[in-house]
Amino acid sequence: MAPAGQVRQARVAEKLTILNDRGVGLLTRLYDMKKTLSNAETRPSVFGERSLEGVIKAMDSRKFNPNSCSSQTYGSSINANVKNDILKSLNQHYFTMVDMIEFKDHVGELLVIIDASQIHFDISINFDLTKKYLDLVVTYVSMMLIVSKIEDKRALLGLYNIAHEMQHGNQETSFPRLAQMMIDYHEAPIKKMCEEFVPHVKQLTFALLSLKLIYQRRDLSADQWRSNQYLSIISESNKLMEPARSETVPCEYLSLDLMQKWVVLGFLLIHQQLAEPTALELWKQALSTSWVIQLWRDEVLHVHVIIEKYFERLKGYEKRLREVKECHQKALQDAPILHKDRRKYLRMAMKEMNLLFADQPGLLGPKAMFAFMMLSHARDEVEWLLRHANNLPQTKGKVKANPDDLNDRQLPELLFYIEELRGLVKKYSQVLQRYYVQYLKGFDVAELQQVLLGMPPLSDELSGIVMSMKRSIDDLSLRQVEETQNFEFDGMRLDWVRLQAYTSIHNTTLRLQDHRTLAKLMNTIIFHTKMVDFLDDLVDEVSDLSIYCFHTTLFEQQFRQCMEFPAQHRFSVAFPLICAHFLTAVHPSLCPEERHSIGQTSVQYCNWFLKEMSDELNQVITTICEEQVLLNDGVLPKHCVHKIQLDTKRVGQGKNKNRRPQAFRTPGEESQRKQREDFTKLDKLHMALTELSYALNYCSVIQVWGHGFVPRDFFMHNLEGRFNKALAGMLMHNPAGEVIAKPSEVLSGVKAMMDVLQSLENYIHIDISRVFNNVLLYQTQPVDGLTGEHTITHKYTNWYLEVLLRHVSQGHIIYSPLQKAFVSLSSEEKLPFSAEEFSDVKELRALAELLGPYGMRYMGEQLMYRVALYVNELKQVVISNKETLMQLRTSFDKPDVMVELAKKLENPENVLQRLTIIGVLLSFRHMLQNVLHDTMVDHAPFLISSIKDFSDNVPAGSDSIYVTEMAGSAGFECSVDPLLVAAIRNQKPEGGEDQYTLSCLLMVFVAVIIPRRASTGNSAFEPSLQGHANNTHCMARAINQLAQALFLVHSRDNDVEERLKEFLALASSSLLRLGQENEKEAIRTRESVYLLLYIIVQESNVLSMDLLESCFPYVLIRNAYSAVMNSTAATSHHR
């Protein structure tokens, strides 16, 4: 029997603390080693060396002989390179085994000291000492069992020893003991450990039997919990403010799984003690609640199978073997249902508790113990489900576990409540600190003083420890909490463990078991100190879910199941929150290399979960938008036609009255219901929207491994992409079929979608206007900045320029100034669309709203680019006719010469055609500018008034061009289109011909050849459209705007008036000669061409009617109008 002083000198408390921490670190390293060697990708390459196959096979055989693992035996099979690879790749694994055998030695020494000191273990009295002792025993057993499962462990040791001997000339010093241990623990590790623990039976039995009352009180069914109103704070409302008390406070939140592990593995080591009824009853109860026990992380032990195999080899254990099999069957049959009911009860109880604490955080102070008890129970149930769902029973008997009982669709709800309660405890940590600082200072110190007064005198050493703990509490004050000072009670807690060790030995003067009041009070005080300085660590201790890091397949499966079950959508946020737990599994000192891989895993899964959640929410929103767009489309005027057709058929059925007419669904019928319980598709979608929005809106930031994940940012980014894609899809653009949606219908759908998205602000805290601004701004550019695909602006620009205007140039469509739209002509070739439906004021205003000023500017730039290309083509024709045109310019007063020279001009029809196309393009540009201005006035009237004020009052100078560009971008009509000027300037060739002279000659060319249009029949003027059938009237805008732009580009804008007067003189002279023509073919549409001259003057801001009268008699224009109207009336009468 060792004296008390010797026990103190052995430092049992300190060694238990250090060895437990070291044991956890070694378990982590052994686990990592096992996974590395069993994985073909991470397995050291030396195990794949062909030259070592025979060596490895010999070492892994049953006839493994450590003496043969030497360089003399196998040195010939290992060359220098292989030797270096062995030493490098196996060094860490080998010395992990060396550390393990050293740990084994230290544990053996400590257990001997504990046995010699006859320390009395009782979980209800010396809780910390007993827990550390049982933890050490279980850690040791788990370590040896994991070692026995490692593949190629003997080959690893043998190869390293051979390489070491080749390198240093002698074997590694630890190899003989390691090799012998591998032999001893290879086939029957349980048997070997049972033999080792024979000397420690007495102390281990005391420790395990002290669990009986605690374990039986905690291991109850859900029905028993329900009848006792277990963990319910409001069951006794009159005691709501009273602090929660217990004789064994730390035992209340002790893990039930851990106690089960202690009992099962502990009594397995000392199975001789199962002859006692108390021990047998406790062991059978522990064996009846599960069929696997966790060794470390996802390494488990099918405990019944292992015990059965071991007991089968023992004589006289037939009865015990039958009892184990009965427990196994009971576990398979009853345990899944038992734990399923527990999870159901805990969900309701945690929901109630969370609501209460969230509403009244002050209750966390007196009822903190209930919170930790709840978290501990919930964590145990989650871990039980993970272990058993991944490890189905290894049995061929009749009784089998039902897999459905291991698939809990409502588990996300329980995970969410765990995270919510954890968050509440951490959020209101200062509430807990204030409460327990006052509790320690005002109550615990006084009660401790009373207890100490009733105790016999203490030795100097014990008295010093007790007074040191008392002083630690005396020094507390609320000011420390208010000033957020750091508290430090680690020393006090270690002193209490020392005191437990000193007062639990057999021959001490003060036996703690004789002073239970002191033990109860000190255990309570230690809990209170943890509420002050150890709160976060205690929360992790009772509710850590880092086990999910090693059950990733099940983690993913549960998340997908949550996404498939709408009732659990709101709890899906628990999964990314759990990823923050993963790093608590890392041992910082003995296995820090795991930190990166585990951290990377946590970040990847958190990112994946949030992405999937935002995808699901966006899918719901997209479906709602589609439904709303369809409903909005149903009220468009175009659907009235179908209604009118059905009504007409119904009236005209006559004899066929029995024929059932086709049904027409009136808009609004979808909102009619016979009862409130009838759920429509939209109702279900809005329910899913509410639940998923709650999940993403639950927390602003999720911190995982130094990364801050903002769930709402995931959603916003995904929403922008979906909205962007939906806008592009609304166009229904089919380039091959020249089909595209009408701008007004697209705008209507966009507004309906925006109304839905605007309502999202009622569900989730986001700025939806930011989404609108970003996405709609992207759509005003030709290429989407997010996806790199073509936008609405590009597609509409391409369609109007390549499809609509191409048909205009082919003569299928005419521009009508009266209707301010393009109008389809009756043609043999049927158009795939109606021009009026895409180019009237309503549609173009819708287009302006969709594209905005940026998009309309892009469309204008593309129009002007094409105009500039046609201008260059015209200049090439002018160059080829330059000499003739120079003569024509100086011979306008010589009619005969003019006629002869005009006949010499080459490609005059080409010039007229190009000029007409330019006129069409400029007319379309004019229409776009008008609707853009109207739209800007509606949306930004103050901005438009400011721009108008600028443009009206800008002084002449270099800055005026910028104001003109600004006004043009806002839709104002400018004397010279800045985009046209810029396009011509960009296409202006360097050097060569005098561009100013070419521009003057171009005006002469056009003036001379205008009369040629009189010979074409489709140049007839249509009064109902105020335009020529072949769009000749568009030449007026082309002539006026090109004159302004060309001479401005050449910095001769002062010559515009002179050049247009020259053009008018030449054109009027040429047209007057039509009156002298005798050939009817040459003057078929003479009157219509006369009107072109009038339109040119009318649209010009330089020419006037007086000037026209001086060149061309107005009576001819009046007669031309009369002739055109008479011709149209005659044609209509003939039809």
Side-chain angles (χ1 to χ4, degrees), residues 863-1109:
L863 284 169
M864 297 303 105
Y865 174 75
R866 284 164 172 74
V867 170
L869 291 178
Y870 286 126
V871 169
N872 284 342
E873 292 179 10
L874 291 176
K875 287 183 178 180
Q876 295 300 320
V877 178
V878 170
I879 292 173
S880 64
N881 293 278
K882 186 176 181 180
E883 294 183 2
T884 305
L885 291 172
M886 293 290 289
Q887 296 176 20
L888 281 169
R889 188 180 184 188
T890 58
S891 305
F892 68 93
D893 55 346
K894 302 174 183 178
D896 296 335
V897 175
M898 291 280 289
V899 171
E900 293 300 323
L901 290 174
K903 292 179 180 179
K904 295 180 180 181
L905 292 175
E906 299 176 0
N907 299 321
E909 291 300 328
N910 192 4
V911 173
L912 289 174
Q913 183 182 7
R914 294 286 185 275
L915 195 64
T916 303
I917 295 174
I918 291 174
V920 170
L921 294 175
L922 292 175
S923 298
F924 185 55
R925 164 71 172 164
H926 176 68
M927 294 165 62
L928 295 178
Q929 287 294 95
N930 287 338
V931 296
L932 176 61
H933 182 264
D934 295 342
T935 304
M936 292 291 288
V937 168
D938 290 341
H939 288 279
F942 178 76
L943 177 63
I944 290 299
S945 62
S946 301
I947 294 174
K948 186 177 186 303
D949 186 58
F950 267 112
S951 61
D952 291 344
N953 298 287
V954 63
S958 59
D959 293 337
S960 61
I961 186 64
Y962 302 114
V963 177
T964 303
E965 287 187 9
M966 177 177 65
S969 299
F972 284 92
E973 189 71 26
C974 304
S975 58
V976 182
D977 193 328
L979 293 184
L980 177 59
V981 173
I984 293 175
R985 183 177 286 119
N986 292 334
Q987 295 289 333
K988 181 180 177 182
E990 297 181 0
E993 298 288 340
D994 181 8
Q995 297 299 315
Y996 172 72
T997 302
L998 292 180
S999 300
C1000 295
L1001 295 179
L1002 175 61
M1003 301 301 295
V1004 173
F1005 200 158
V1006 174
V1008 172
I1009 63 175
I1010 282 178
R1012 291 176 179 269
R1013 278 295 168 97
S1015 63
T1016 56
N1018 58 357
S1019 296
F1021 188 82
E1022 297 287 344
S1024 60
L1025 301 175
Q1026 284 192 358
H1028 298 79
N1030 61 355
N1031 289 304
T1032 298
H1033 59 286
C1034 293
M1035 292 171 59
R1037 187 173 299 278
I1039 292 166
N1040 282 299
Q1041 291 202 19
L1042 282 181
Q1044 300 265 4
L1046 286 171
F1047 296 120
L1048 180 61
V1049 167
H1050 306 315
S1051 302
R1052 303 289 291 271
D1053 49 311
N1054 295 328
D1055 288 354
V1056 173
E1057 185 174 355
E1058 293 297 325
R1059 300 285 75 78
L1060 283 177
K1061 286 180 180 179
E1062 180 184 2
F1063 168 81
L1064 184 61
L1066 288 170
S1068 59
S1069 174
S1070 300
L1071 288 174
L1072 286 173
R1073 283 196 297 273
L1074 286 177
Q1076 301 173 1
E1077 287 286 345
N1078 296 321
E1079 295 182 10
K1080 291 186 178 181
E1081 290 296 327
I1083 56 172
R1084 291 171 62 187
T1085 55
R1086 179 179 58 189
E1087 287 76 12
S1088 296
V1089 177
Y1090 285 169
L1091 293 181
L1092 173 61
L1093 191 63
Y1094 174 73
I1095 296 172
I1096 292 173
V1097 175
Q1098 193 177 34
E1099 291 190 1
S1100 173
N1101 56 359
V1102 175
L1103 303 177
S1104 64
M1105 288 300 172
D1106 293 337
L1107 187 61
L1108 176 63
E1109 181 69 23

Side-chain angles (χ1 to χ4, degrees), residues 388-515:
H388 291 76
N390 264 353
N391 297 277
L392 295 177
Q394 299 176 351
T395 179
K396 298 180 180 179
K398 295 181 180 180
V399 179
K400 294 184 180 180
N402 186 0
D404 293 338
D405 293 330
L406 300 175
N407 182 23
D408 192 350
R409 297 183 68 188
Q410 294 179 312
L411 182 66
E413 184 176 357
L414 182 60
L415 296 176
F416 174 79
Y417 291 144
I418 292 175
E419 288 297 327
E420 187 175 30
L421 187 52
R422 281 169 57 96
L424 287 171
V425 172
K426 292 183 178 182
K427 179 180 179 180
Y428 297 109
S429 58
Q430 281 205 335
V431 173
L432 288 162
Q433 278 189 336
R434 291 180 66 89
Y435 181 85
Y436 283 102
V437 165
Q438 295 178 77
Y439 203 114
L440 287 164
K441 180 78 174 175
F443 181 80
D444 287 340
V445 171
E447 189 172 359
L448 180 60
Q449 184 68 32
Q450 289 296 113
V451 171
L452 293 176
L453 289 174
M455 291 178 61
L458 303 177
S459 64
D460 292 342
E461 187 173 2
L462 296 182
S463 178
I465 293 176
V466 172
M467 296 312 295
S468 174
M469 292 190 294
K470 185 174 179 297
R471 279 194 302 271
S472 299
I473 303 174
D474 278 334
D475 294 340
L476 291 174
S477 67
L478 276 179
R479 182 178 296 178
Q480 293 173 279
V481 180
E482 294 168 355
E483 295 176 357
T484 63
Q485 295 184 15
N486 291 328
F487 295 92
E488 185 62 51
F489 290 111
D490 288 341
M492 176 184 172
R493 287 190 283 269
L494 184 57
D495 281 342
W496 171 230
V497 182
R498 290 193 186 102
L499 187 62
Q500 292 178 47
Y502 299 162
T503 57
S504 298
I505 58 178
H506 180 67
N507 60 346
T508 184
T509 55
L510 177 68
R511 300 179 63 190
L512 194 59
Q513 59 185 329
D514 298 332
H515 298 277

Side-chain angles (χ1 to χ4, degrees), residues 4 66 110 117 277 533 736 751 1005 1064:
L110 183 58
S117 305
D533 75 322
K751 287 183 176 180
F1005 200 158
L1064 184 61

Side-chain angles (χ1 to χ4, degrees), residues 221-335:
S221 66
D223 291 334
Q224 291 171 307
W225 282 354
R226 198 172 287 108
S227 62
N228 298 332
Q229 292 190 318
Y230 184 57
L231 297 174
S232 175
I233 299 176
I234 59 176
S235 59
E236 295 179 341
S237 56
N238 57 334
K239 298 181 181 179
L240 198 60
M241 296 303 296
E242 292 185 9
R245 295 173 178 267
S246 173
E247 299 250 338
T248 54
V249 172
C251 295
E252 301 304 326
Y253 57 84
L254 181 62
S255 170
L256 190 62
D257 270 353
L258 182 59
M259 285 194 284
Q260 181 195 10
K261 190 175 178 181
W262 289 344
V263 171
V264 172
L265 295 182
F267 279 119
L268 178 59
L269 295 177
I270 52 172
H271 52 82
Q272 304 87 351
Q273 297 299 310
L274 294 175
E276 295 185 14
T278 306
L280 181 61
E281 181 185 357
L282 180 60
W283 196 55
K284 289 170 64 176
Q285 183 178 355
L287 283 175
S288 300
T289 56
S290 61
W291 59 84
V292 287
I293 286 180
Q294 180 190 29
L295 294 177
W296 188 245
R297 294 179 175 174
D298 61 339
E299 286 294 324
V300 298
L301 184 69
H302 288 264
V303 63
H304 299 87
V305 177
I306 297 297
I307 294 173
E308 288 172 15
K309 289 181 180 178
Y310 178 55
F311 282 0
E312 285 174 355
R313 300 177 182 178
L314 299 179
K315 294 182 180 180
Y317 270 71
E318 292 79 7
K319 181 181 179 182
R320 200 71 68 233
L321 184 59
R322 287 196 299 272
E323 291 171 344
V324 172
K325 290 181 178 180
E326 290 174 2
C327 292
H328 194 188
Q329 292 180 357
K330 186 177 181 182
L332 294 175
Q333 188 170 2
D334 300 337

Side-chain angles (χ1 to χ4, degrees), residues 776-784 791-794 854-855 858:
L776 295 178
L777 187 61
Y778 287 141
Q779 292 299 325
T780 62
Q781 306 302 315
V783 178
D784 185 0
T791 60
I792 289 178
T793 296
H794 180 275
Y854 289 117
Y858 172 76

Side-chain angles (χ1 to χ4, degrees), residues 27-28 30-32 34-35 38 146 149 261 292-302 383 386-391 546-554 585 594:
L27 269 176
T28 305
L30 288 168
Y31 172 87
D32 183 64
K34 179 180 181 299
K35 295 298 182 183
S38 60
I146 288 178
K149 292 183 174 184
K261 190 175 178 181
V292 287
I293 286 180
Q294 180 190 29
L295 294 177
W296 188 245
R297 294 179 175 174
D298 61 339
E299 286 294 324
V300 298
L301 184 69
H302 288 264
E383 290 192 347
L386 287 179
R387 286 198 309 274
H388 291 76
N390 264 353
N391 297 277
S546 60
I547 187 67
Y548 270 110
C549 183
F550 312 101
H551 293 278
T552 52
T553 302
L554 199 56
E594 271 193 334

